[in-house]
């Protein structure tokens, strides 16, 4: 099984892996509905970045986008859907589990050896340490 499949199966959500998308969902999880400008300002995003993120999250079913008018001004409101809330919770649980596993094995003696398939015992001679003759001469100061 590829290494990245284990992360997906553990609850990591590739769509929420992007910090800006995660920030938008996390912000929306704390309110019923939020004005586009408020989300933009609190998540420190540009209008275009938030528009693209909102479209992506809406297509995934994670948020609802409602457009309307407030007086004469057009407004856009964003709201987290139950599907989006579940996805956020699962992603945060997976992150917490990974953080807990990493902190519980902080002692290097407890860490398993990860075989990269590279033989470090027979390094090529081109990687030998530099000698004094390998270094360029220092520039003379006049």
């Amino acid at each position: 099984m590829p290494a990245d499949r284990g992360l997906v199966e553990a609850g990591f959500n590739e769509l929420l892996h992007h910090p800006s998308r995660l920030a938008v969902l996390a912000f929306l999880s704390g309110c019923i509905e939020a004005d586009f400008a408020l989300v933009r300002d609190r998540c420190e995003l540009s209008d275009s970045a938030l528009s693209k993120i909102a479209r992506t999250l809406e297509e995934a079913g994670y948020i609802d986008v409602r457009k309307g008018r407030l007086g004469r001004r057009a407004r856009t409101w964003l709201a987290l859907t139950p599907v989006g809330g579940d996805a956020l919770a699962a992603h945060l649980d997976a992150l917490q589990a990974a953080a807990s596993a990493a902190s519980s094995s902080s002692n290097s003696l407890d860490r398993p050896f990860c075989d990269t398939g590279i033989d470090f015992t027979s390094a090529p001679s081109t990687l030998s340490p530099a000698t004094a003759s390998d270094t360029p001469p220092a520039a003379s100061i006049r």
Side-chain angles (χ1 to χ4, degrees):
M1 165 170 51
D4 58 346
R5 285 298 313 154
L7 294 177
V8 171
E9 290 170 4
F12 283 92
N13 186 320
E14 288 188 36
L15 190 64
L16 300 184
H17 182 67
H18 190 276
S20 296
R21 289 190 291 258
L22 181 59
V24 169
L25 278 191
F27 180 79
L28 291 174
S29 71
C31 53
I32 295 171
E33 183 175 66
D35 180 70
F36 182 92
L38 179 63
V39 177
R40 177 200 63 211
D41 294 345
R42 294 298 172 107
C43 295
E44 299 180 351
L45 298 167
S46 66
D47 285 343
S48 62
L50 181 54
S51 291
K52 183 176 180 181
I53 289 167
R55 184 173 44 255
T56 301
L57 293 174
E58 184 181 30
E59 288 171 358
Y62 291 175
I63 66 169
D64 283 329
V65 177
R66 182 173 65 89
K67 296 185 181 271
R69 297 192 84 64
L70 189 60
R72 293 183 174 182
R73 298 188 65 176
R75 299 293 239 201
T76 301
W77 292 274
L78 308 175
L80 185 67
T81 65
V83 172
D86 291 345
L88 177 62
H91 187 70
L92 293 177
D93 286 346
L95 289 173
Q96 184 61 49
S100 295
S103 66
S104 69
S105 67
S106 61
N107 182 346
S108 63
L109 297 176
D110 294 336
R111 295 183 195 165
F113 176 75
C114 297
D115 186 11
T116 60
I118 300 172
D119 181 12
F120 290 105
T121 60
S122 60
S125 60
T126 58
L127 296 178
S128 62
T131 61
S133 62
D134 293 337
T135 58
S140 61
I141 301 173
R142 293 183 186 197

